[in-house]
Amino acid sequence: MPRNQSRISASSGIIALLAIANVVLLQEVYLSGESWLVLLVALPLLLLAIYNRIQKKHAVLRNYPVIGYFRYLSEKVRPELRQYFFESDLDGRPFNRRQRSIVYQRAKNEKQTVAFGMQADPGQPGFEWLAHSLYPVTVQDKDLRVWIGNHQCSQPYHASILNIGAMSYGALSKTAVESLNEGARIGGFAHNTGEGGISNYHLMGGDLIWQIGTGYFGCRDLEGNFSDDLFRENAQKPQVKMIELKLSQGAKPGHGGLLPASKNTEEIAAIRNVQPNTTVASPPAHSAFSNPQELLWFIARLRKLSDGKPVGFKLCIGNTKEFREICRAMITTGILPDFITIDGAEGGTGAAPLEFTDHLGMPLHDALAFASRTLEEFDLKDGIRLLASGRLITGFDILKTLSLGADAVYSARGMMFALGCVQALQCDSGKCPAGVATQDPKLYKGIDITDKKQRVANFHGNTIKAVVELMEACGFKTISEITADKFFRKTDALTTRSFADIYKLHESAIANSKHSLLN
């Protein structure tokens, strides 16, 4: 009872004070004709306080009329205040300030060094390091590339080891997509379209990896079923170098998507081959197949329809038994994908349920090591390339991933930072302040394509340069020499273990599996 009386007293007191203030101001205006401007503020505040007291939706405002709004204001500006004033260089999620800064510096071709030593604590569990060599070497071929495409493919692709991760037009703005694709053209690397189809903004000269999801956007009939004719039409575009069939993604594995009618414009509908101004669902599962054998038959079908271009699939590993079943089906059917993309649970997306983002799927390093070991076990690794995605930013991130069995990597959010993303965490609001993840013309027109395309190319080029410098310092002359036994992680206060030990990888197996990737 005392607490309830206190709350009533607070709200009544605020209204009483405002009422008294208004009476005094009215008297002042009546007697002297002054203070009427102040009254224009005080009177609406009194009316607002009365409304706050009688409304029943917000308890804070009902208990503390008017001044309760300061709570909502503080909550609204909290992320910006924390990011710009309170977080350290190693704070911030998903990417800390140090990670974001190196992307900005590399994209702008600015100073890329740090002063005074490391900020991370090497004594803390989780700290990772790479063994250098007393005898540095020179990497002769600094344009690090791999061939993707096995003997069942007639148009293999010579891919950079770093490419733009899957992000659809619709999730990103037209100016962002165009900048990414032109940056890929300048830098000579590939641009994954995301599952939203191939837009005109993807066709600026950069190589494309066309991703197909459960909605079959760009290759579906009006009922949402896969269409051979529409797929063939897009797959045979000269810009399309590879086709990636998306089974699941790390940020929300096993979860479908919804394109609301409000976002399904005439332009988006034409790209995705759907009816405009209607709500379109991307179901959790594919309708073209329902088991491992049918998946592989579908891959063979896509390869034939594309005239022999590399075809692979992307997944976030969850149930390891299912991945092993796919490998067994490769043996029984004789059909091999040209590549498999492993997306870690730490991967990003524009919008996902919190439980899916935080708790579903296997993290990248565990998943990649498992996939590599399993392909080796079934003697499939030589014919299938492993691509990796999931919070990869720096040269060290890339080397780490290669050591665990990857042959090339994607970076999506890294490329967004190169475009000017400030990690405002507003991707699902349509109000991205950098104009990257929005369809609002007032925002996306802020992206200068002439400038941003060069920044994307710069980020790629400078990151590859960082990879090469690390390789040289560690004695790796080629990417085939990068092995997990050279990477270490502090697992507790007294123990440091190699990646080969942690992830049960063997140096010879990984080295041999990569030998056939090089020129």
Side-chain angles (χ1 to χ4, degrees):
M1 182 64 70
R3 179 188 293 180
N4 293 337
Q5 289 177 344
S6 174
R7 288 177 178 171
I8 294 172
S9 176
S11 60
S12 299
I14 292 168
I15 293 174
L17 286 173
L18 286 171
I20 292 169
N22 275 272
V23 170
V24 171
L25 289 170
L26 279 170
Q27 184 178 15
E28 182 72 17
V29 170
Y30 179 76
L31 294 176
S32 64
E34 298 178 357
S35 302
W36 62 271
L37 289 176
V38 180
L39 181 62
L40 290 178
V41 175
L43 183 57
L45 285 178
L46 174 60
L47 297 176
L48 179 61
I50 295 171
Y51 169 75
N52 289 162
R53 184 65 187 90
I54 62 176
Q55 60 84 34
K56 298 180 180 180
K57 187 175 181 180
H58 301 288
V60 171
L61 292 177
R62 195 176 188 194
N63 292 333
Y64 302 95
V66 181
I67 63 174
Y69 285 108
F70 286 102
R71 184 264 181 192
Y72 298 107
L73 176 63
S74 300
E75 185 180 59
K76 184 176 179 61
V77 300
R78 175 179 174 269
E80 288 79 10
L81 291 175
R82 181 180 60 198
Q83 184 181 83
Y84 291 112
F85 297 105
F86 302 118
E87 73 177 30
S88 75
D89 284 354
L90 300 181
D91 291 334
R93 290 290 184 272
F95 296 92
N96 62 43
R97 181 174 296 276
R98 201 171 179 89
Q99 291 171 314
R100 301 194 303 269
S101 294
I102 192 62
V103 178
Y104 299 146
Q105 291 162 2
R106 286 176 175 164
K108 297 176 184 178
N109 263 334
E110 292 181 349
K111 175 179 71 70
Q112 299 169 39
T113 56
V114 295
F116 222 61
M118 71 163 63
Q119 294 188 19
D121 183 352
Q124 288 295 314
F127 178 77
E128 296 174 340
W129 58 280
L130 170 59
H132 68 282
S133 172
L134 290 176
Y135 311 102
V137 298
T138 299
V139 174
Q140 297 298 328
D141 187 0
K142 294 179 168 55
D143 184 21
L144 304 177
R145 292 183 176 273
V146 296
W147 282 103
I148 301 178
N150 55 43
H151 66 281
Q152 298 177 357
C153 161
S154 59
Q155 297 188 54
Y157 177 58
H158 204 203
S160 170
I161 65 165
L162 173 61
N163 303 283
I164 300 172
M167 296 178 286
S168 301
Y169 170 55
L172 299 192
S173 66
K174 58 183 67 179
T175 49
V177 172
E178 187 170 339
S179 298
L180 289 172
N181 194 256
E182 292 204 38
R185 174 183 58 80
I186 295 169
F189 50 99
H191 178 191
N192 192 306
T193 64
E195 63 179 302
I198 302 173
S199 69
N200 290 334
Y201 314 109
H202 287 102
L203 302 175
M204 297 295 148
D207 292 346
L208 292 179
I209 300 172
W210 180 23
Q211 186 182 89
I212 300 171
T214 58
Y216 304 119
F217 295 130
C219 56
R220 58 181 274 155
D221 60 25
L222 294 179
E223 285 72 43
N225 300 310
F226 178 79
S227 166
D228 285 22
D229 292 337
L230 290 176
F231 173 81
R232 184 187 294 109
E233 179 182 337
N234 273 319
Q236 293 186 7
K237 284 182 167 68
Q239 297 93 336
V240 175
K241 304 301 181 183
M242 303 200 304
I243 292 95
E244 181 179 82
L245 184 64
K246 174 186 164 185
L247 305 184
S248 60
Q249 69 180 97
K252 48 179 179 180
H255 192 278
L258 200 69
L259 176 66
S262 60
K263 292 186 177 181
N264 187 12
T265 63
E266 296 280 350
E267 181 184 36
I268 294 289
I271 294 166
R272 301 191 178 194
N273 200 41
V274 297
Q275 290 293 331
N277 305 312
T278 61
T279 297
V280 180
S282 294
H286 280 266
S287 59
F289 53 87
S290 59
N291 58 54
Q293 290 79 14
E294 291 177 356
L295 164 64
L296 294 171
W297 293 335
F298 190 64
I299 285 174
R301 179 178 166 190
L302 297 183
R303 189 186 282 129
K304 181 178 180 180
L305 291 170
S306 66
D307 283 345
K309 291 181 179 180
V311 179
F313 61 87
K314 167 184 174 177
L315 80 164
C316 174
I317 292 179
N319 187 338
T320 56
K321 178 182 176 182
E322 293 176 342
F323 187 80
R324 295 177 65 84
E325 288 173 348
I326 293 174
C327 291
R328 289 193 187 94
M330 294 178 197
I331 302 296
T332 58
T333 63
I335 300 170
L336 301 181
D338 296 290
F339 65 94
I340 299 173
T341 299
I342 304 297
D343 196 22
E346 58 271 65
T349 186
L354 181 142
E355 294 87 353
F356 280 74
T357 291
D358 287 353
H359 301 293
L360 256 64
M362 192 182 294
L364 175 61
H365 294 154
D366 300 89
L368 186 57
F370 164 75
S372 184
R373 289 195 311 267
T374 305
L375 291 177
E376 287 285 348
E377 177 187 340
F378 285 90
D379 197 24
L380 294 168
K381 185 68 171 70
D382 285 345
I384 301 172
R385 308 298 177 240
L386 280 178
L387 279 61
S389 57
R391 209 153 65 190
L392 302 174
I393 287 283
T394 67
F396 181 72
D397 295 335
I398 294 172
L399 277 182
K400 237 186 349 183
T401 307
L402 296 180
S403 79
L404 294 174
D407 304 309
V409 307
Y410 288 119
S411 179
R413 287 169 290 181
M415 297 296 178
M416 291 175 69
F417 288 137
L419 289 173
C421 167
V422 295
Q423 194 168 282
L425 307 182
Q426 296 292 317
C427 307
D428 58 347
S429 71
K431 299 177 182 178
C432 169
V436 177
T438 180
Q439 299 304 310
D440 186 341
K442 296 189 295 295
L443 295 172
Y444 70 64
K445 287 182 179 179
I447 293 179
D448 179 2
I449 296 173
T450 303
D451 174 59
K452 299 303 183 183
K453 67 182 181 182
Q454 191 60 55
R455 291 194 185 189
V456 170
N458 289 344
F459 169 62
H460 175 273
N462 286 323
T463 303
I464 292 294
K465 180 181 177 182
V467 172
V468 170
E469 290 176 345
L470 281 174
M471 289 174 61
E472 292 177 334
C474 297
F476 304 140
K477 292 183 180 180
T478 64
I479 59 174
S480 65
E481 299 178 14
I482 302 169
T483 52
D485 64 316
K486 300 296 192 299
F487 291 78
F488 297 87
R489 179 182 299 149
K490 196 168 187 66
T491 55
D492 60 48
L494 300 176
T495 309
T496 297
R497 300 169 62 194
S498 74
F499 278 24
D501 182 25
I502 294 171
Y503 297 106
K504 300 180 176 60
L505 296 171
H506 303 287
E507 178 182 356
S508 59
I510 296 300
N512 290 339
S513 71
K514 286 186 177 176
H515 181 71
S516 63
L517 298 178
L518 306 176
N519 289 331

